[in-house]
Every structure is written in structure tokens, then in C-alpha cells.
Amino acid sequence: TSAFMAAVCCRGLVAPLGGWFWAGPRAPFRSVGAAAPLYDVVVSGGGMVGSAMAAVLGHDIHFHDKKIALLEAGPRKEYDRVPDSYSNRVSSISPGSATLLSSFGAWDHVCRLRLKPFRRMQVWDACSEAMIVFEKDDLDDMGYIVENDVIMSALTKQLDAVADRVEIFYGSRAVGYTWPLPSHSCVTSPWVQIELADGRRLQTKLLIGADGHNSVVRKEAEIKNIEHQYDQSAVVATLHLSEATDNNVAWQRFLPTGPIALLPLSDTASSLVWSTCHEHASELLAMDEESFVDSINSAFWSNINHSDFIDTAGAMFRSALSLLKPSGSAVRQLPPSIAKVDPESRAMFPLGMGHAAEYVQHRVALIGDAAHRVHPLAGQGVNLGFGDIACLAHHLSAAAFNGSDLGSLKHLLKFETERQRHNVSLIAAIDVLKRLYSTRLTPLVLLRTWGLQATNALPPLKVRISVY
Amino acid sequence: RLTAKRLFSTSHSSVDSAEMKKFQLLAHKWWDEEGEFSALHSMNDIRVPFIRDTLLNMSSNYHLGSPLSGVKILDVGCGGGLLSEPLGRLGASVTGIDPLEDNIRTADQHKSFDPVLAKRIQYKSSSLEEIVEESMETFDVIVASEVVEHVADLEMFIKCCSQVLKPEGSLFITTINKTQLSYVLGIVVAEKIMGIVPEGTHEWEKFVPPEELEHLLKSYGFSVQTVNGMLYNPLSGSWSWMESTSVNYALHAVKAGAQGHSSPTGALSELESEQPSATAGT
């Protein structure tokens, strides 16, 4: 009102001076932000990672009287019974991720719906005989192959269980974020303002960005992202095996064009993840089903990329290793052969890597692909996201029990340090592996052949990798 | 009413006007976590859990989601509300008093954006003596953190605490010891060398040794349960507990119960009756 009065007075003064009308700058409109509902935490993005984050907080005892909101652009996803056919988007869930999911009751739902444990991982090169096998000594499950839809359904159920604390906005997209000024200049609202596509407004003390590798939260917060598009796309499909088998092994072969992986879904079905160059990926999608199946079998069985030189060098190294370490190489199993592909199950999506320079800012935290994006060759993507959740939830829970301001950088930085320390080396290693295996150049093939053989023979190194 | 106030308080109040002038200049800087009050902000990391856990240990009926729900707390010398707000977030009903109006204004403004806190916390520009009359035995807990080293009349301060506290209520004090070490670290290093605390904030003469405080508390019917040393690490900007109380320390005392019994946990009090009481308390 005072600005309005000043404007009137101004005009009143100027008018007598020959009636020259000066409109002057309009006073800034002080928005009635206080009307927008205030949440303690808003999670932007209702995928596997965003939904799990909201569910973990919703089930946390120290968040008992807090208000959480989850924003998801898509519709609600849930089913009571799994459809007969398998979805072509699956994830390899590590035991650590399974522990997180069971901590708030979601794993029970997954088990009741559908999952496939695997005991062994065999990884080998197309250009040599080099191979590495991962398995746990006690024959425990190394991991689980679960359809993404199954995970989402389980998460939705557990979110329903805490509906009094977690409010989910389906079909809602955030179109704008307004960041607060630093806390001590407290004349305007200290909270993050969120504007939804339908015009609704929310305020929050902490905004968690779980909105994927093209994160809007990250972009709006002006957090630098180191990103790189690979010249590869992943082709996924649901495959049927020639004959039923225990199928508890995950297979991955590094072809020069990219790794091809077979992830077990059941005794008769497996999921395909084939990373290859864009042109080849399009070809694979376009070809008829028989040719597609032939390509897959050939990729796993053909030795066309071997060279005598590499084979000999590899064999020599292997016998040298067996002198030093007699039990140093595991039995080579043969991957299953494919008979049929599920019609309509073929799809492709482009691959890239990304890493945010910062995971947190005042009142903002990034988790999952919004913070880091990796190549699927190591099956780590969603597990890194679940690891982020476990760490962030731990720090937020402690902060809530201390009565702290949830958006305070003090504990957010602890989360960032812990996760960056864990993630950066893994993300870099995956990127290096991707590049190392994308070549036929002899020296590099030799290097990775010997490297793989040596790693396979050295238990401590193998254990470290599989425990990651 | 004015007359009654003058009769009630003795010749001087516990508020020191020179002290008030010092804090007046800093009234707007309370909520800058990296500013002049950064050490107080980080002190929350140990003093809030200390208060919370002590109270939880004494109670059998609480919910971990809102651990201080139902507890009425008086935050004496609340400043900008740095301690009142976390206590409010944990569920307590907090009354924050501070003689400096500017501090109260800052505190009120800061809490106003959070509707939950705005309801749970009430701020009042007042000295402790001024609220005694209307608040006899009103509070479950009194918190006087980094305050007693600034008051003019410590004895009156303790007496007033006793009057507004319910029987068996808890009193939490954090303050600075009066030792050579506290002079070196608390004044020379903290104020003059490293600027951890604005210069002139503290006067060594007014520091309170724990023995003197304990003696004073006992004479007003309190039983001292815990005394813990605190240490500030200027490099990490964080506080931790330590054995020695030579510099900073925190103290928890319990007011005698209705029949003159005090809670059985911890140190013996000279005022305890011959039969050990079987009251609640752990």
C-alpha cells in the first residue's frame, strides 16, 4: 500500500507540471505466499527412487507428525496380480537395496508378486576367452531381477499405508521453483515455492529432486551437471529359452559394439539388455523375430572376434595364473540359447552418463538419476539411487529427532559427502569399463583380457567388487 | 501492579543493562548460521539431544515422533529463538523470554513462517522476575542456555527459576566456568584472536564455576543430577562433550518435589528427607 500511495503522490506532484503523465515503475507485487500449503518435504518425481524416498520418510518414526508430498507427472501404478507376460523393463536389485525395501515393508509385496533371485554372474569378453565369475561362497542370492512395474506396485502399496503423512499428487508436474534467500535475510518466505502445471502452489522446507537424468530441479537450481551421451542405445526384450533350466545365472558378454546381457526372469524366460550403437539398435528393432533371436544367440556363442594372438596370450596367462593359484579360475558355464522373443516386447532407449557437481543446496537435495546416471553394464543404476535414499533418510531422521530445520545445509552436506565418496569412483569405473570394452584394438583387448583373468583369480578384489 | 513488582523484586533485577546494550547491536544477526552466532547454532547439536534425552529418560510416556509433546518449557534469554525452535519442533510448548525487544521481534518474525512453530512457541519481551507472579509453578522445564554468565543477580535468577518451575521440574543450564583456561580460551582466543564470539560478549568476572552454581541451586531446593563439560572445536565449528568442566559446561537439576523429596537419580541433595523417596524418575 505504501508503494501505491507513493505512486499516487508522485502523479499528484507531476500533474501540475504541464500534465505530463509519468507512470513510473510498478511496485513489486507482494504475493500472498502464505496461503500455499507448507510441507516439511516435497519429493519431485514418482519413479522407483522418488516413491521409495517418500515411503521411507513416511514410515520413519521421527517423521510421525511431518507432512510429506510426492509429485508425479504420470498416473498411479499398481496391480494386485501380475500380468501373465513380463514387462521389458527390469532392474537388478542388490541385497542392500532389498534390505532397504524390506525396511518399510515393500519387499514383502515384491516377493508376493514376482521376482527372480540369481546366484551367479558370468561376465566374459567377445574378443578372448577371458571370463570372470561372481558368486557368493555361501551360495546366497547375489541379487534379484525384478520388473520395474512390480517394484512400483509394491511402493504404491506402502505409500498407501502412510497416506496420512504422505500426500501424492498424481498427474502433477512442477513447472516452476522459487528458491528462498539465505536464511538470515528473513523478510520474504524462507521456504521453497513450487508451482504446478495446474496453477496450484506448494511450499516446502526441503525439496528432494528425484526427477531423472533430465532433472528440472537440478536445472532450476543451476547445479552443474557433467554429462555425456554415449553413442549407444539399449535394446530390451523379453526372451523365451530353448529349454527350461535353473536359470539362476546372470550373463553378460562384452561385444566390441557393447555389452549384451541376459537377466533371468524365470526358468523359461530371461530379459535382454543389449547396449549397442544406435544404427544396430534400430536394425534389431526392425528385423523379424527369427532374425532377432538368431542375432542374440550369435552374440553369445560366436567366436568371430577372437584372434589367434589374443587366444594364445590369454591361454599363456591363464596357465601362469594356475601355477600361482591352482584354483584361480572358475568353471565356465554355457549361457542358455534363446528360442523365441515376446512380440511387442522389443524397445530401445538411448544411453548416457551424468554426474551432478553438487548433490545438495540450501533446502534442495538430488537423488537417483537426477544426481548420477550410469551405463547399465554394471546393473547399478537403481541400486545407487536406493543407496542415496538410505543415506539421506538416515541424516534426515537424525535431523528431525534433533528438532533441526530439515532444509539446513549442515546435514545435507553430510549426505552429499558420503554419497559422492561412494558414487564417484563407481561411476568413473563403469565409464572406464564401457570405454575399455568398446574396442577391438589388440593392446587394449590384451590389457582387459589379462585384467579380467587376474581379477577372476584374486578373491579379495572380486569380493570387493561384488559387495559394492 | 507496578508497586507490587517493585516490592517483589529486590533492589536490582537480574537483567544487566550493559549486557543488553551489547546484544542490541546483534539483534538482527541471530539467524545467520555462518555469522556471529554460528557457535550457538552448532551448540544445538549437543544441547538439544541433551535436553531431549534427559527428559525422555525421566518419562515413561512419550512418542518418538514428537518426543517433547505435552512438555511446557520456558526458554530464558531466548535471544532470536535459536533453541526455542528445535524444542518446539520436538513437540514442546515453548515460552521464550528475553529482555531485549529487538530479539523478541527477530524471534517472532522467524517463527511466523512456520504455522506449527507459530502456535507452539510464544515469545515475550520480559525479564524472568517480571513473569514470576503470573507463572508460579507453571513450567515443566526451564532452559537457561548461555544466560547465567550475563545476569546481574544470579541468586535472584535461581530463586525465580525455582518459583516458576513445577515441583520435580527440570532446569537446564549451559554456561562458562571461571578458570584460567576459560579466560584463555573463552575470552582471549574466542573473542580476540579467532572471533568465534563477538568481542566484549563475555566478561570473565561474571563466569560461573559449577561448584558455585551447584551450591546456589541446592540452597533453593534443586538437586543437581548431571554436570558435563563441553568443548568447542573452532576448526570444525562443532561442539562435543568432555570430562573436564574447565571451560564450558552443561548442568541438569531437578526441583524438589511437592513434599520436599527430590528425584532419586544421580547426586544426593542435602535437602533430601531421611526416607529415600520412591517417586517416578527413570
Side-chain angles (χ1 to χ4, degrees), chain A residues 19 117 120-121 213 247 388:
Chain A
R120 205 167 183 264
M121 247 170 39
H213 66 261
N247 206 13
D388 291 343

Side-chain angles (χ1 to χ4, degrees), chain B residues 188-241:
Chain B
V188 178
V189 175
E191 290 188 13
K192 301 189 200 297
I193 298 181
M194 293 198 70
I196 298 166
V197 172
E199 193 162 346
T201 299
H202 290 125
E203 283 170 45
W204 187 78
E205 282 306 315
K206 297 177 77 175
F207 285 174
V208 185
E211 304 77 35
E212 183 185 318
L213 192 54
E214 283 190 62
H215 180 78
L216 208 51
L217 286 167
K218 282 188 191 151
S219 62
Y220 281 97
F222 284 97
S223 148
V224 176
Q225 304 291 309
T226 316
V227 182
N228 279 333
M230 292 159 55
L231 181 68
Y232 182 67
N233 179 341
L235 299 172
S236 63
S238 63
W239 289 87
S240 54
W241 295 113

Side-chain angles (χ1 to χ4, degrees), chain A residues 325-361:
Chain A
K325 243 199 149 300
S327 60
S329 36
V331 175
R332 176 188 295 272
Q333 279 190 8
L334 298 172
S337 75
I338 307 303
K340 199 157 89 64
V341 58
D342 250 0
E344 318 282 325
S345 74
R346 279 187 269 176
M348 68 185 254
F349 51 92
L351 300 176
M353 75 85 89
H355 193 249
E358 298 163 322
Y359 287 3
V360 301
Q361 261 185 21

Side-chain angles (χ1 to χ4, degrees), chain A residues 38 61-62 64-66 183-184 186-191 205 400-405 408 410, chain B residues 31-33 42 45 48-49 52 56 63-67 86 89-90 109-110 113-115 120:
Chain A
L38 174 65
I61 186 104
H62 300 305
H64 187 261
D65 60 350
K66 305 262 185 267
S183 50
H184 56 280
C186 208
V187 178
T188 50
S189 169
W191 315 126
K205 300 175 188 174
F401 195 44
N402 281 350
S404 303
D405 177 352
S408 164
K410 205 157 23 148
Chain B
W31 287 99
D32 179 2
E33 286 186 36
S42 62
D45 293 340
V48 172
R52 175 197 74 207
L56 286 180
H63 189 287
L64 281 176
S66 194
R89 281 194 203 100
L90 292 180
Q109 188 185 57
H110 197 265
F113 293 102
D114 185 338
R120 285 199 192 138

Side-chain angles (χ1 to χ4, degrees), chain A residues 48-49 51-53 55-56 59 93-110 144 146 150-152 154-155 158 382-383 386 389-390:
Chain A
M48 287 190 283
V49 173
S51 300
M53 182 85 239
V56 167
H59 285 262
I93 301 296
S94 67
S97 298
T99 304
L100 174 75
L101 292 172
S102 48
S103 73
F104 59 96
W107 192 244
D108 281 338
H109 296 308
V110 171
Y144 311 90
V146 189
V150 167
I151 298 175
M152 275 312 306
L155 293 174
Q158 284 312 94
V382 80
N383 295 310
F386 286 140
I389 294 173

Side-chain angles (χ1 to χ4, degrees), chain B residues 20-33:
Chain B
M20 278 182 55
K21 272 205 198 72
K22 276 189 298 198
F23 280 100
Q24 177 84 46
L25 299 165
L26 301 164
H28 305 288
K29 308 212 176 161
W30 284 102
W31 287 99
D32 179 2
E33 286 186 36

